[in-house]
Amino acid sequence: MNIRDRFRAALRGERVDRLPRFEWAIWWQQTIDPWHAEGLPLERSAWNDYGIVAIMEWFGLDPAWQARPESNAPSLPSGLFPDHLHGPVGDMADYEALRPHLFHRELNWDTYLPPEILRRHERGDIALWF
């Protein structure tokens, strides 16, 4: 079972050969710098195109490419999160009112994602996380 299939099956609650191993929070440079001093190769850096993936693989984690395409329209109202307890959507009517301000353009995924990440995903060697 490759990582892409394993991740999808786990999300669906299906049987997997093992659970995916991910780091969901990207490491700070203040964490990575000491790792370099302890032997992490310098080319495995958070500040290059594939650095986070390379670090995941160095530590034996499953590779995942995390991306956050900008999708909100300029008309998105400000102040949608007044505090940590209340968000902008409480029911379907709230969502329907907000929806015209979200996902304002179609993304061309073939040009949005780096070519190597697309190739690896097509092979099932990496999970994509949006």
Side-chain angles (χ1 to χ4, degrees):
M1 181 171 263
N2 66 40
I3 183 53
R4 183 188 61 203
D5 296 338
R6 182 179 298 117
F7 185 63
R8 288 178 174 173
L11 289 176
R12 289 191 295 261
E14 298 170 359
R15 188 172 288 270
V16 293
D17 58 342
R18 66 168 173 79
L19 290 176
R21 296 180 301 245
F22 291 115
E23 174 58 52
W24 65 271
I26 295 176
W27 302 286
W28 295 349
Q29 193 62 41
Q30 294 90 336
T31 303
I32 297 170
D33 288 342
W35 290 346
H36 287 303
E38 296 167 359
L40 178 69
L42 288 176
E43 60 271 10
R44 293 178 187 259
S45 168
W47 306 116
N48 65 37
D49 287 344
Y50 309 106
I52 293 298
V53 172
I55 293 171
M56 288 177 187
E57 292 174 322
W58 175 263
F59 286 117
L61 299 173
D62 292 319
W65 181 261
Q66 186 176 3
R68 185 177 171 206
E70 183 58 48
S71 59
N72 299 334
S75 61
L76 185 70
S78 62
L80 291 176
F81 296 92
D83 56 48
H84 293 292
L85 299 176
H86 302 92
V89 177
D91 56 28
M92 193 61 168
D94 290 344
Y95 174 72
E96 291 297 337
L98 191 58
R99 188 173 180 199
H101 306 286
L102 304 174
F103 315 115
H104 73 286
R105 66 172 188 237
E106 292 292 323
L107 289 175
N108 181 346
W109 295 106
D110 292 333
T111 60
Y112 177 74
L113 295 170
E116 179 60 18
I117 296 300
L118 279 173
R119 282 191 290 277
R120 290 189 69 182
H121 185 259
E122 288 167 1
R123 291 191 313 255
D125 294 342
I126 196 166
L128 299 179
W129 176 358
F130 297 92

